[in-house]
Amino acid sequence: MSLAAGTALHDVHEVGRDAIDDYRTKGHTVLRGLASQSEIDAYLPAISDATFRIRGDERPLAERDTYGKAFIQSMNLWTIDDTVRRFVFARRFARVAAELMGVSGVRLYHDQALFKEPGGGLTPWHQDQVYWPLDTDNTITMWMPLVDVPSDVGSVEFVSGSHRSGDLGGTAIGDDSQRFFNRLIAEQRYTTQSYAPMRAGDATFHSGWTLHGAPANETQTMRCVMTIIYFADGTRVGALDNPMREDDARQWLGSRRTGELADGPLNPLLWSV
Ligand SMILES: O=C(O)CCC(=O)C(=O)O
């Protein structure tokens, strides 16, 4: 498919000081209008098509576990579709990620579509970096809805300041992590924040250690979201100290081992000064 002119997503989107301060203090922030409606219109069909082409679990919602009910999760769509590749390789987005973290370059960890179905369940509380064998705190996810997300559709809720504590000791995403972190949030009197309602093309950014989850989708509309995960250029592979990290190193880091540079064939440099 050929894309209309003006949809290259390589221009500069200025990141205000407030967003940078917010990100560093709270571990999350929002940039409204990072992509325009016409840009979203140009990319949504390809992202949606690729998402369903490699979708894993096709069982009805009622037969899935809590994690399976949370969303349809399809990863590294850029490797199967050239249009999606242009979206994921957008210098506009990668530069924002670098500016928020305060680093001079970012590499791709992986992309993932997260489509919360009508009636889809909550996304249990979790910390992403439990899964990521990256020896840095400079990891960040851009979470961009491709459709408008009213408050009852299940937008991400972030636990402010939780990124500063590193690994909070929870387990992999699921019922146990939901229980564990619900208790921790109450005990520590953490503040949570959601940016709902969101428009298509708005984007939140959260750090790899920021605790987050999302409510269920109580509407009849699919919550189509695309995410891109970046890490600072120069990062080395960290400890492969749980099966998820072993798995991730194999899938996303070209089987690099602890101490080696995280610069596998699936980790292109997407922006540098
Ligand atoms: O989209 C969701 O419901 C959760 C998003 C999430 O966990 C993430 O982007 O890391």
Side-chain angles (χ1 to χ4, degrees), residues 82-139:
D82 282 345
T83 301
V84 182
R85 183 177 190 278
R86 291 180 62 172
F87 184 90
V88 173
F89 281 36
R91 285 200 292 279
R92 185 193 301 166
F93 304 156
R95 183 176 179 278
V96 168
E99 293 252 306
L100 290 174
M101 292 192 288
V103 300
S104 58
V106 291
R107 287 183 179 271
L108 177 65
Y109 188 53
H110 63 73
D111 68 52
Q112 61 182 345
L114 297 173
F115 283 21
K116 202 181 269 295
E117 295 152 276
L122 61 78
T123 307
W125 295 118
H126 64 284
Q127 291 182 292
D128 298 329
Q129 211 157 320
V130 169
Y131 290 84
W132 303 343
L134 292 168
D135 191 15
T136 180
D137 290 339
N138 281 321
T139 60

Side-chain angles (χ1 to χ4, degrees), residues 7-268:
T7 48
L9 304 171
H10 288 328
D11 57 342
V12 172
H13 182 102
E14 288 303 338
V15 183
R17 191 67 237 173
D18 285 358
I20 294 174
D21 289 346
D22 241 24
Y23 176 76
R24 297 194 191 161
T25 310
K26 297 194 294 191
H28 56 86
T29 192
V30 68
L31 293 188
R32 304 282 177 187
L34 183 55
S36 68
Q37 185 63 59
S38 61
E39 288 165 338
I40 295 297
D41 291 344
Y43 287 98
L44 174 58
I47 293 173
S48 186
D49 176 70
T51 299
F52 285 100
R53 226 184 313 152
I54 61 167
R55 162 182 196 176
D57 192 344
E58 297 206 25
R59 288 173 300 168
L61 270 171
E63 291 174 26
R64 298 183 222 154
D65 65 8
T66 301
Y67 181 20
K69 285 182 178 132
F71 35 61
I72 297 168
Q73 181 178 25
S74 299
M75 295 152 114
N76 260 8
L77 303 181
W78 72 271
T79 61
I80 63 162
D81 186 284
D82 282 345
T83 301
V84 182
R85 183 177 190 278
R86 291 180 62 172
F87 184 90
V88 173
F89 281 36
R91 285 200 292 279
R92 185 193 301 166
F93 304 156
R95 183 176 179 278
V96 168
E99 293 252 306
L100 290 174
M101 292 192 288
V103 300
S104 58
V106 291
R107 287 183 179 271
L108 177 65
Y109 188 53
H110 63 73
D111 68 52
Q112 61 182 345
L114 297 173
F115 283 21
K116 202 181 269 295
E117 295 152 276
L122 61 78
T123 307
W125 295 118
H126 64 284
Q127 291 182 292
D128 298 329
Q129 211 157 320
V130 169
Y131 290 84
W132 303 343
L134 292 168
D135 191 15
T136 180
D137 290 339
N138 281 321
T139 60
I140 192 167
T141 298
M142 182 189 84
W143 188 96
M144 181 181 281
L146 308 174
V147 293
D148 291 348
V149 176
S151 300
D152 50 357
V153 169
S155 188
V156 177
E157 257 180 73
F158 301 100
V159 179
S160 298
S162 52
H163 65 303
R164 286 198 292 269
S165 303
D167 188 344
L168 290 164
T171 53
I173 182 170
D175 292 325
D176 287 348
S177 73
Q178 180 70 5
R179 264 191 301 274
F180 178 87
F181 286 122
N182 262 336
R183 194 166 51 240
L184 189 85
I185 290 164
E187 279 169 10
Q188 301 291 321
R189 297 174 194 271
Y190 273 126
T191 307
T192 63
Q193 185 173 354
S194 153
Y195 294 102
M198 292 180 72
R199 303 292 305 267
D202 292 347
T204 63
F205 287 81
H206 65 272
S207 166
W209 286 118
T210 302
L211 178 57
H212 60 286
N217 180 1
E218 292 172 2
T219 72
Q220 289 308 306
T221 311
M222 181 77 84
R223 190 208 68 179
C224 305
V225 165
M226 185 62 172
T227 69
I228 306 173
I229 303 162
Y230 309 89
F231 61 89
D233 183 33
T235 295
R236 293 187 179 272
V237 178
L240 302 173
D241 51 2
N242 66 40
M244 288 109 66
R245 286 179 166 175
E246 282 279 359
D247 213 45
D248 263 37
R250 197 171 32 74
Q251 280 203 75
W252 314 126
L253 295 173
S255 293
R256 299 280 193 278
R257 304 302 293 174
T258 304
E260 293 182 326
L261 269 180
D263 62 352
L266 296 178
N267 312 119

